[in-house]
Amino acid sequence: MHTTDMKKLRIGVISDTHNLLRPEARFALAGVDRIIHAGDICGPAVLEQLAAIAPVLAVRGNNDRGDWAEDLPHRLVEEIGGVRVLVVHDKADVGAADAASGAMVVITGHSHRPNIAREGGVLYLNPGSAGPRRFRLPVSLAILEIADGTPTARVQMLEVD
């Protein structure tokens, strides 16, 4: 396959919905190829609503409890568009073994603070929280794009009341 034949993948990255999938988040995720939820989902309805938009990968957060959450992994490594992506809820849980895994993208949630950083060739992405507003933190999600094996990301603030 020629590189000109490779499709740019758009991945919606969301976290800390805390049982609330806002209409603004659904609108922002429309048309993505896949959705990654970085935990603190807090109910199966959110995953069902996301799955109606695109295929979903999700990890379990510290507030994901009950029968519905038992099958969610605490960490996930997935190859997407030729890029290895590691997803964990809390960045504090990223260890040396994860760093050696060859992941080019590390997705976390938990802090409710959106952040994009590059460290040692790895893209670290926290989409912030798309659920109930916490303190004065923004309500946000992120779009991860992978083209020709190169990941880029942007945070999208959600305009909510």
Side-chain angles (χ1 to χ4, degrees):
M1 179 185 303
H2 297 296
T3 55
T4 55
D5 296 332
M6 291 184 79
K7 179 183 180 217
K8 181 183 343 186
L9 294 173
R10 288 184 69 240
I11 299 124
V13 182
I14 192 167
S15 187
D16 296 275
T17 48
H18 292 273
N19 216 21
L20 172 64
L21 186 61
R22 297 172 177 275
E24 297 87 353
R26 287 196 292 269
F27 181 78
L29 293 170
V32 298
D33 298 296
R34 183 173 293 188
I35 297 170
I36 296 174
H37 198 304
D40 277 2
I41 303 154
C42 298
V46 169
L47 293 177
E48 292 164 10
Q49 293 170 45
L50 289 172
I53 299 168
V56 178
L57 296 171
V59 296
R60 189 174 184 170
N62 57 297
N63 288 300
D64 294 324
R65 298 181 189 102
D67 293 343
W68 71 272
E70 287 182 9
D71 291 333
L72 290 175
H74 288 280
R75 64 184 355 87
L76 182 68
V77 177
E78 188 80 15
E79 193 88 15
I80 304 172
V83 171
R84 185 172 292 220
V85 178
L86 167 68
V87 186
V88 297
H89 181 59
D90 188 345
K91 189 175 180 182
D93 293 333
V94 177
D98 293 316
S101 74
M104 291 177 66
V105 177
V106 175
I107 295 172
T108 62
H110 189 61
S111 72
H112 291 229
R113 297 177 191 277
N115 188 51
I116 299 172
R118 285 201 185 267
E119 297 172 23
V122 176
L123 175 68
Y124 287 86
L125 172 60
N126 184 326
S129 170
R133 185 182 301 274
R134 185 173 178 209
F135 310 115
R136 293 191 174 150
L137 295 171
V139 177
S140 62
L141 53 77
I143 302 296
L144 172 66
E145 291 186 342
I146 299 175
D148 299 326
T150 302
T152 57
R154 65 180 167 80
V155 170
Q156 184 165 337
M157 299 301 172
L158 301 179
E159 297 297 323
V160 298
D161 293 333

